[in-house]
Amino acid sequence: MFGNYLIGLREGLEASLVVCILVAYLVKTQNRAALRPVWIGIGIACTISLAFGALLTFGTQELTFEAQELLGGSLSILSVGLVTWMVFWMKRTARHLKGELEGKLDAALAMGTGALVATAFLAVGREGLETALFVWASVRASGEGSSAPLIGVLLGIGTAIVLGWLFYRGALRINLAKFFRWTGGMLVVVAAGVLAYGVHDLQEAAFLGGLNDKAFDISSAVPPDSWYGVLLKGVFNFQPDPTVTQLVVWALYLAVVLTLFLLPAGFGRSSSGNPAAKAPAAASRD
């Protein structure tokens, strides 16, 4: 439940912050009449995201086992790609997000009601569709037939909505840069497990080989149905008998993505090698 709670909290809080910025700016600029089309756009985005999640959940049940595994594996890998992009995008643009959204609102206000609906829909819809896809992949990886992963997601989204409301009311202030850094790092760990699960699905669909080439098997030491086995499965999508391909993909993704994510902003860009950066100093000496 915890791993999926984290997904719901992280993704839901991003959407909540977007909504808070849109609503607060319209209230501050005395454009309360524009709130209705903005809420309509948000409502459409939420509805489409829920419909997309329902389609993923129920629309694949009539497929053959191989087709289900092929589709599930492909969408799991796609969801990992999207959430990885989102984590790095938020790290890079979080400090400018408020100004960017307010600029889009100003342009939409000048264009009319339809533009306001579209702006709100696009701002929230992207988060919603990414969340629906990644949640579906993570719930599928964490425990098919169990309601605990879905409950975790719903609790995370509920917490995010409450936090968003508290932010809007000014009753809560936290360091969002640190929050997104820590939750982003944990989300990368969860995504690595989803990626490994997606690779296993493709192997079961016979799209990738190596299904019987086990890297190790510690099922006797970590039984999948034990409390610690369930905990490791739920948080890290841990599998006691992964294939060699799964293990290699998991390790490479985690090593590369987590290292890049934890690097400080601007790492590797040094002014010492930039002649333009030296020019002001030389001019001041002259």
Side-chain angles (χ1 to χ4, degrees):
M1 186 181 292
F2 174 76
N4 290 282
Y5 174 83
L6 173 65
I7 295 169
L9 175 62
R10 163 74 190 226
E11 302 289 301
L13 188 56
E14 286 189 21
S16 293
L17 289 176
V18 168
V19 173
C20 287
I21 291 171
L22 295 176
V23 173
Y25 184 67
L26 291 176
V27 172
K28 183 177 69 175
T29 56
Q30 303 298 315
N31 285 296
R32 290 180 178 271
L35 286 173
R36 186 170 182 271
V38 164
W39 281 116
I40 290 175
I42 292 170
I44 294 173
C46 292
T47 301
I48 291 179
S49 299
L50 289 172
F52 180 56
L55 177 63
L56 291 173
T57 302
F58 302 108
T60 60
Q61 293 182 351
E62 301 301 320
L63 299 176
T64 64
F65 173 78
E66 289 78 9
Q68 286 185 13
E69 297 304 294
L70 180 61
L71 179 62
S74 301
L75 290 180
S76 293
I77 293 172
L78 175 62
S79 72
V80 170
L82 288 174
V83 82
T84 303
W85 172 84
M86 177 272 299
V87 165
F88 280 96
W89 177 84
M90 180 57 73
K91 176 185 176 181
R92 185 178 67 253
T93 62
R95 67 185 64 184
H96 310 297
L97 182 61
K98 184 172 182 288
E100 180 181 324
L101 287 173
E102 290 178 353
K104 290 180 179 179
L105 265 183
D106 283 334
L109 284 167
M111 296 174 65
T113 301
L116 285 168
V117 173
T119 299
F121 168 74
L122 292 174
V124 178
R126 183 190 63 188
E127 302 287 348
L129 291 175
E130 286 179 359
T131 301
L133 179 57
F134 192 59
V135 162
W136 175 81
S138 181
V139 168
R140 191 170 181 271
S142 296
E144 294 184 67
S146 170
S147 61
L150 184 58
I151 292 173
V153 171
L154 294 176
L155 288 174
I157 293 175
T159 303
I161 292 173
V162 172
L163 290 176
W165 182 79
L166 291 174
F167 285 139
Y168 177 76
R169 302 300 299 178
L172 180 65
R173 295 188 182 277
I174 63 173
N175 188 322
L176 289 176
K178 287 186 177 180
F179 174 84
F180 283 121
R181 185 176 179 83
W182 280 99
T183 57
M186 289 188 285
L187 205 57
V188 168
V189 175
V190 174
V194 173
L195 179 61
Y197 187 87
V199 168
H200 187 263
D201 278 352
L202 294 182
Q203 289 179 311
E204 288 195 322
F207 183 81
L208 293 178
L211 181 61
N212 297 318
D213 297 331
K214 301 295 183 181
F216 53 81
D217 188 347
I218 56 173
S219 301
S220 57
V222 187
D225 56 351
S226 63
W227 69 267
Y228 46 92
V230 173
L231 182 64
L232 290 171
K233 173 74 172 177
V235 178
F236 303 109
N237 285 310
F238 172 79
Q239 185 176 332
D241 57 342
T243 65
V244 173
T245 305
Q246 276 185 280
L247 184 62
V248 169
V249 168
W250 176 86
L252 283 176
Y253 173 87
L254 199 59
V256 173
V257 175
L258 197 57
T259 299
L260 292 175
F261 178 75
L262 294 177
L263 287 176
F267 180 82
R269 285 181 285 176
S270 174
S271 61
S272 60
N274 186 353
K278 297 178 181 179
S284 63
R285 287 196 300 270
D286 294 342

